[in-house]
């Protein structure tokens, strides 16, 4: 196998983008190219489980807060911090720019980011959201709120790296995968069973290019 990267790869992906892979492979261009392709494959495979986690968290939190405040646009009554209220306002503005003249509560819920929903599990909302309501969004969890929030936050960071096409090969990906399943189990165990029927992460982890960039996050 040639030790050089295909010429078109430099035009399509650029040397600076390929550099982290070259560094991980100690300058071996053939190994770096294999690792780059595998990073795309494993990122693609994680999409399904992260999709389930983000949508599951969003709906669980939304349902509990709708119940607490008695209105679908509960953010109008909840004591949101300025930063989080700003995210709601931005979601409405973004929807209008997309041509949604009168965004519904469901429109806003779908527009809000994974990070927004995780932020509602922070200590600043202990008194008004977690204790009276949000702990019930996780019927199969009995631990501390802070640990739950931290675990979700690591998944936000993984999700953002994947969606911004960044390297994830250096992470402890089997641990990330196990964490997603654990968090899904806190929300709804039956989703875990359903997801296992088509989740490709274990398969692709099993064919990682040998010896390439095997670090941890």
């Amino acid at each position: 196998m040639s030790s050089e990267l295909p010429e078109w790869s430099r035009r399509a992906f650029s040397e600076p983008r390929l550099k982290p892979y070259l560094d991980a492979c100690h300058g071996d261009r053939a190994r770096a190219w294999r690792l780059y392709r595998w990073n795309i494959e494993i990122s693609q495979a994680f999409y399904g489980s992260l999709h389930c986690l983000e949508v599951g968290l969003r709906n669980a939190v939304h349902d509990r807060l709708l119940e607490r405040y008695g209105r679908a646009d509960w953010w109008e009554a909840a004591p949101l911090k300025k930063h989080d209220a700003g995210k709601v306002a931005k979601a409405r503005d973004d929807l209008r720019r997309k041509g949604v003249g009168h965004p519904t509560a469901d429109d806003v819920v779908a527009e809000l980011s994974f990070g927004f929903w995780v932020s509602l599990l922070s200590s600043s909302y202990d008194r008004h959201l977690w204790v009276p309501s949000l702990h019930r969004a996780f019927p199969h969890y009995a631990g501390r709120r802070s640990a739950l929030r931290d675990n979700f936050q690591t998944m936000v960071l993984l999700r953002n790296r994947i969606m911004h096409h960044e390297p994830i090969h250096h992470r402890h990906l089997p641990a990330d995968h196990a964490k997603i399943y654990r968090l899904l189990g806190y929300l709804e165990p039956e989703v875990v069973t359903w997801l296992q029927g088509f989740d490709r992460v274990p398969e692709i982890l099993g064919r990682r290019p040998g010896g390439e960039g095997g670090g941890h996050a």
Side-chain angles (χ1 to χ4, degrees):
M1 181 181 291
S2 171
S3 63
E4 291 300 312
L5 297 179
E7 183 59 36
W8 58 262
S9 71
R10 295 181 178 87
R11 296 192 300 271
F13 304 122
S14 81
E15 286 281 357
R17 177 159 188 83
L18 294 170
K19 187 177 184 301
Y21 300 89
L22 285 165
D23 291 345
C25 296
H26 309 291
D28 185 321
R29 290 177 174 272
R31 289 174 58 201
W33 188 233
R34 291 195 298 271
L35 184 60
Y36 187 85
R37 172 172 168 163
W38 185 84
N39 194 85
I40 293 173
E41 289 187 274
I42 194 63
S43 296
Q44 181 185 45
F46 264 100
Y47 174 85
S49 54
L50 286 169
H51 167 100
C52 292
L53 187 63
E54 180 171 350
V55 174
L57 176 67
R58 171 205 300 171
N59 289 333
V61 169
H62 172 63
D63 288 348
R64 297 291 75 74
L65 294 179
L66 185 158
E67 186 177 80
R68 173 161 172 73
Y69 292 101
R71 51 192 294 178
D73 59 346
W74 49 264
W75 46 83
E76 299 293 345
L80 294 184
K81 302 301 178 182
K82 183 177 180 180
H83 179 66
D84 292 319
K87 289 182 179 179
V88 174
K90 182 179 184 301
R92 282 195 295 249
D93 290 344
D94 288 347
L95 286 163
R96 293 189 183 102
R97 280 193 291 271
K98 293 175 183 178
V100 182
H102 300 284
T104 66
D106 283 343
D107 292 330
V108 174
V109 166
E111 188 72 15
L112 286 164
S113 70
F114 192 10
F116 170 82
W117 300 103
V118 173
S119 73
L120 299 183
L121 305 179
S122 67
S123 59
S124 57
Y125 292 118
D126 257 354
R127 178 182 175 189
H128 295 290
L129 301 185
W130 176 259
V131 172
S133 183
L134 287 189
H135 69 279
R136 292 199 300 274
F138 308 93
H140 305 280
Y141 181 68
R144 297 173 58 190
R145 176 208 51 75
S146 58
L148 183 70
R149 186 264 178 195
D150 289 348
N151 283 322
F152 268 105
Q153 185 59 33
T154 64
M155 294 300 98
V156 171
L157 297 176
L158 175 62
R159 180 259 183 216
N160 289 347
R161 289 196 70 82
I162 288 172
M163 294 306 174
H164 290 95
H165 319 303
E166 296 294 333
I168 63 168
H169 62 81
H170 60 288
R171 295 180 61 95
H172 192 325
L173 294 174
D176 285 329
H177 187 246
K179 184 177 291 186
I180 292 172
Y181 271 73
R182 189 164 65 251
L183 293 171
L184 280 171
Y186 299 152
L187 291 162
E188 177 50 74
E190 290 189 22
V191 173
V192 172
T193 303
W194 176 74
L195 176 60
Q196 287 172 328
F198 61 91
D199 184 2
R200 296 183 63 234
V201 169
E203 171 208 339
I204 294 174
L205 285 175
R207 54 183 173 84
R208 179 185 182 121
E212 264 99 276
H216 292 181

